[in-house]
Structure formats: structure tokens, C-alpha cells
Amino acid sequence: MHLELNFLIWKVVCVMSNKKEFLNLGKQPIANKFLRKNEFEDEFFYNLKVVFDDDTKLVSLKDFVKPELMFNEDYVYHTSLSVPMVEHFKNTAEMLMKEFNPLTVMEIGSNDGAFLKNWPNDYTIGVEPCGNFAKVTEDMGYQTYSEFWTTELSEKIKNDGHVDFDLIYAANCICHIQNLDECFAAVKNILSKNGVFVFEDPSLLRMLERGSYDQIYDEHAHIFSVTALDNILMNNGLKIFRVDNLSVHGGSNRVYVSHLPVHTFLRFRPVEISVRENLQREYDFGINNFQTYEMFSERVNKSKNDLVELLRELRFIRDKRIICIGATSKSTTVFNYCDIDESLIECITDTTPDKQGLLAPGSHIPVVDRESVNLNDYDYAFLGAWNFKDVIANKEREFVENGGKFITHVPEVMVFS
Ligand code: DWN
């Protein structure tokens, strides 16, 4: 009853807030729900629209998708299958260990343990609603709560005898959580007095700069600016004291957060220059102005027209064969927004076994194992995983040597080799 009332109040607050729509990416499926032919009829679609909140400056989806439809036993994104990300999390854990030396660690959204595995399992726990991954980290010896992150769960963890955590970490997870006030209240509830909450997610500024609208899909309930996070965290008794700008996932921010120093017994963590610099950079770019988002929307529309025109010319006029590398969540947005199907792009290669043999959400383009195709049979390869452009270009040198060319839409539609 108490939870239902909270949810109702949150819904009313959402409706009353000052949100303006600036982008409509059309009818979209669940970005990571790869499927079989016999599942087409029941495929779920929703309208992907994006709003800017004039009060908090937060950019969010207009309509959220029910979390259980996205994050469940069938979730397919395995962090550990990405070699650069495994390295990224190893380095991150080493840095956090050296700098903060935490005695207790919790990861929210622990996926298949790429970050957790760098910490001793006697003082580290995970939270992961996707049951398939929670089982993986349990089997690795980490206690894992297979639930969504809520205040109720933070209470349950306390009641189970865990002391407050010195380090709470989350990567590509907080932007998936629809009710941020609830999320941050839950963090505050279980963060030790001098603890740090560190999280990283795609950067709104980088998305606007690069025109990478495909960062927007069902799972990304919000695309964060430091500005919006600063406002919302502050409202929840937390403060940002450092920001790192990262290159991963097409440009992300790692945000370091502590309690607001309201109690004199708390050690004061000074706010570092990186916070001011990021806020200034965002302000200079116009992140607080609605016109910035209207201009972005025009750029997205142009990107769609350019991409469709290019693919149609290559395929239907010049009779070229086109493949895609990387069946990403991002490519789901692009293919459905631009109405791209098998007639333009024959298939998608992906290294994730759980995606292979299935059809991509909405576009129904077949996903195949990279090893099962000869890339030299194709003239062009669209980069579904443009964020791994260098890794892919390096791996596929033979394709380029044989005259193959890549296509990307970031920062604008272009062909390169
Ligand atoms: O937040 C999220 C991020 C972290 O990961 C999720 N909401 C879902 C997911 O987003 P994505 O699917 O856009 O992520 P990636 O990391 O861009 O996916 C890369 C995909 O490309 C993987 O399925 C692996 C594949 N791949 C490939 O086939 N060949 C990747 C490389 C580097 C390759 O050479």
C-alpha cells in the first residue's frame, strides 16, 4: 500500500513537472529482445519520445517501458563478452581500491560480474534484476540480490545484517532507473557516512555533440548531464565531488558522489575542479536551453534522411551488398527509426552467442555469428557498434584491403575505409 502510494505521488509529480517534448523516434520494440519468427505477432512496441525537464534540466523518455519487459531472465547483453569493457572495469576497480580503500562494496546492476570479480567476495555484494546474470555472480561467490534497486531493497539488505557500504558502484545502470528520487534515496540509505557512490553512464553532452541519437532507447530512461544530476542529487541530500569524462560507450561521465556535509562529524570532501569544468562546458554548449534540443532534433532528422538515401542508393541503384557489425541496442533505434530492414542490410554479425540465430528487434534482420560469414562477400559494413569503431576496423583489416568500406552515422552519415 505504502509503495503504491509512493508510485502514485511520483506519477502525479511527473505529470505536473515542466517537461517539453523535442524528439520523436517513432514506434520502437524492446531494444534487446531478439526474437524468432513465431514471436513476431506478439512483439511489443511503444512510442519513443524524448522530453527535456525545464526544472531539473533532465532529459528523459516521455513514456517509460515496464522494467520487467526489458530486464529479465532473457537479458542478452553480457559485459564480459566485450574485451575492452572487461579491461575498463579492471582498471576502474584498481583505481577505486587505491583511492578509497573501501571495506564494503556493492554494485548496482552487476550484470555478469565484470566489475565484481575484481573484489574479494567476502565484502562485496551485487544487485542484478536479470536472473540469468544474478546466478552467474552467485556462482562466482558473490551474494547477489536479484531485484530492482529500490528503497525497500536497501532496507532488506540492511535487515540481512549488511553494514552501510563504503563504495556503491554502478555502470550503465543508474540511467536505466526510471524514478531517480527513489534510486538516490535508496543509495543514501545504505551509503556509509564517508562512503562514495560512483556511477558512470552515457553523457548527454557527448550525445548532443556527436549526434548519436541511438543512445536513446527503452533501457535508457534518462540521458544524463552533470547539470541535471547535480540538481537531482542535491535534492536528495547527496553531492557530486568529482567527474571523469570517459571514452567508453561513445562518451560517458563517471560521477563521484558523497553525502551532503550536513553533519559536522562527516569528513568534508571538497568539490573538485572537474565538477565546475563540466558544468561550465555544458552551460556553454546550451544544455539548459530548449533550443539546443530542437536543433538536435533537426540534426537527427537529417541523419535519418542521409542514411536512408545512402543505403538505398548503394543497394537498389548500385547493387551493393551491405552487412552490419554489432547487433546493439543502439542499432535497434536506428533501424526502427529509419525503417531499415533486410532489403537494405542483409544481416548483422554479433559476437554474443545469445543473439546469434535470432532476428533483430523490429527490423527482423537476421543476426549471425561473425565466423559464419565471409565479410569479403559484402561491399559495405554498417557499424552498429560504432563505439567500437577502432577495435572493429583493426579486426577487419582484410575486409578493407579487399575494397570493403564502413558506413557510420556518427557524427554524421559517412563512408570510410
Ligand atoms: O547500457 C547498456 C550498454 C552498456 O550496453 C545497455 N543498456 C545495453 C548495451 O548497449 P549496446 O547493445 O548498445 O552495447 P555495446 O557495448 O555497444 O554492444 C556491442 C555489441 O557489438 C555486442 O553485442 C558485441 C558486439 N560486437 C561485435 O559483434 N563485434 C562488439 C565488438 C567490439 C565486435 O568486434
Side-chain angles (χ1 to χ4, degrees):
M1 180 62 200
H2 176 66
L3 268 179
E4 277 173 17
L5 190 66
N6 274 349
F7 185 71
L8 200 69
I9 293 170
W10 175 59
K11 275 278 181 200
V12 172
V13 170
C14 288
V15 169
M16 283 167 53
S17 64
N18 200 359
K19 291 178 180 169
K20 294 181 186 161
E21 182 182 321
F22 63 91
L23 185 62
N24 183 350
L25 294 170
K27 215 172 98 184
Q28 294 278 346
I30 300 291
N32 268 307
K33 180 82 185 88
F34 293 82
L35 67 177
R36 294 187 173 78
K37 246 190 186 142
N38 62 6
E39 294 169 307
F40 287 177
E41 225 173 87
D42 295 329
E43 192 169 17
F44 175 86
F45 287 91
Y46 67 100
N47 289 315
L48 181 54
K49 294 180 178 170
V50 194
V51 294
F52 170 70
D53 185 333
D54 231 349
D55 298 331
T56 60
K57 312 302 177 202
L58 182 67
V59 166
S60 309
L61 303 193
K62 185 172 183 192
D63 299 307
F64 296 136
V65 170
K66 240 177 140 192
E68 293 79 5
L69 290 179
M70 303 178 276
F71 308 112
N72 49 45
E73 287 285 329
D74 300 324
Y75 194 62
V76 285
Y77 179 78
H78 291 245
T79 308
S80 296
L81 290 178
S82 167
V83 177
M85 291 313 292
V86 169
E87 192 62 18
H88 170 77
F89 289 120
K90 182 170 176 284
N91 295 338
T92 303
E94 278 169 12
M95 177 277 291
L96 292 170
M97 170 79 87
K98 209 162 138 199
E99 173 126 22
F100 301 109
N101 196 19
L103 295 180
T104 45
V105 179
M106 172 170 69
E107 183 180 16
I108 307 172
S110 43
N111 196 266
D112 62 359
F115 176 79
L116 281 189
K117 72 174 181 193
N118 299 291
W119 300 86
N121 53 15
D122 53 348
Y123 65 75
T124 308
I125 70 163
V127 171
E128 175 50 68
C130 303
N132 49 341
F133 291 129
K135 182 168 179 335
V136 170
T137 50
E138 276 285 343
D139 289 348
M140 287 160 69
Y142 296 94
Q143 184 184 9
T144 308
Y145 288 85
S146 188
E147 291 180 41
F148 288 101
W149 179 245
T150 58
T151 318
E152 203 179 352
L153 177 59
S154 73
E155 273 304 311
K156 179 170 160 186
I157 294 172
K158 274 174 179 255
N159 290 337
D160 282 353
H162 288 284
V163 293
D164 287 349
F165 290 89
D166 291 339
L167 172 66
I168 300 179
Y169 178 77
N172 302 301
C173 172
I174 301 300
C175 76
H176 295 177
I177 300 180
Q178 300 171 359
N179 185 344
L180 291 177
D181 287 329
E182 155 105 32
C183 165
F184 293 145
V187 166
K188 191 168 171 67
N189 187 34
I190 204 165
L191 183 67
S192 71
K193 289 188 177 66
N194 293 311
V196 286
F197 169 38
V198 180
F199 63 99
E200 49 188 79
D201 287 292
S203 149
L204 176 68
L205 178 62
R206 292 301 282 141
M207 182 189 90
L208 296 174
E209 283 174 342
R210 310 181 96 172
S212 47
Y213 68 89
D214 52 351
Q215 291 287 8
I216 302 166
Y217 49 89
D218 54 355
E219 294 178 17
H220 286 174
H222 320 279
I223 307 287
F224 290 141
S225 61
V226 178
T227 308
L229 283 175
D230 199 41
N231 292 334
I232 299 166
L233 285 159
M234 198 71 92
N235 288 340
N236 284 283
L238 295 163
K239 66 159 187 172
I240 303 176
F241 64 92
R242 181 187 303 165
V243 178
D244 292 339
N245 304 123
L246 311 172
S247 61
V248 293
H249 287 297
S252 302
N253 287 328
R254 180 186 292 140
V255 175
Y256 298 70
V257 172
S258 68
H259 287 281
L260 264 177
V262 283
H263 303 296
T264 47
F265 56 80
L266 293 183
R267 197 185 327 138
F268 180 69
R269 270 185 210 283
V271 175
E272 298 176 14
I273 187 78
S274 58
V275 180
R276 168 83 61 88
E277 283 171 351
N278 273 276
L279 292 173
Q280 187 65 49
R281 213 175 301 134
E282 291 183 351
Y283 180 85
D284 292 343
F285 189 84
I287 229 149
N288 295 337
N289 307 331
F290 189 64
Q291 292 93 306
T292 304
Y293 299 93
E294 290 177 314
M295 277 157 57
F296 178 71
S297 179
E298 281 166 26
R299 181 171 173 189
V300 172
N301 191 35
K302 179 177 179 333
S303 174
K304 171 183 178 164
N305 293 338
D306 290 352
L307 183 61
V308 171
E309 196 184 327
L310 173 68
L311 295 179
R312 284 198 180 140
E313 188 199 317
L314 293 175
R315 186 78 199 107
F316 301 141
I317 299 175
R318 294 171 53 200
D319 199 25
K320 301 292 181 192
R321 295 187 69 187
I322 311 166
I323 193 168
C324 169
I325 301 178
T328 57
S329 322
K330 296 182 287 289
S331 61
T332 296
T333 294
V334 176
F335 294 161
N336 285 279
Y337 174 56
C338 301
D339 243 326
I340 292 167
D341 61 15
E342 231 183 312
S343 66
L344 289 170
I345 293 185
E346 288 179 47
C347 63
I348 311 172
T349 67
D350 198 285
T351 47
T352 313
D354 287 350
K355 297 180 186 176
Q356 295 161 3
L358 297 177
L359 302 149
S363 68
H364 302 158
I365 301 174
V367 182
V368 297
D369 181 359
R370 168 68 190 86
E371 303 310 316
S372 72
V373 291
N374 181 358
L375 219 54
N376 297 326
D377 291 343
Y378 295 85
D379 304 290
Y380 291 85
F382 176 76
L383 291 179
W386 55 264
N387 44 317
F388 290 115
K389 178 176 147 215
D390 294 340
V391 177
I392 294 171
N394 199 33
K395 259 203 258 178
E396 307 296 359
R397 276 195 304 257
E398 196 194 315
F399 168 64
V400 177
E401 281 158 16
N402 282 307
K405 292 189 171 68
F406 295 111
I407 300 172
T408 186
H409 65 292
V410 177
E412 58 210 25
V413 175
M414 61 178 145
V415 173
F416 68 97
S417 48

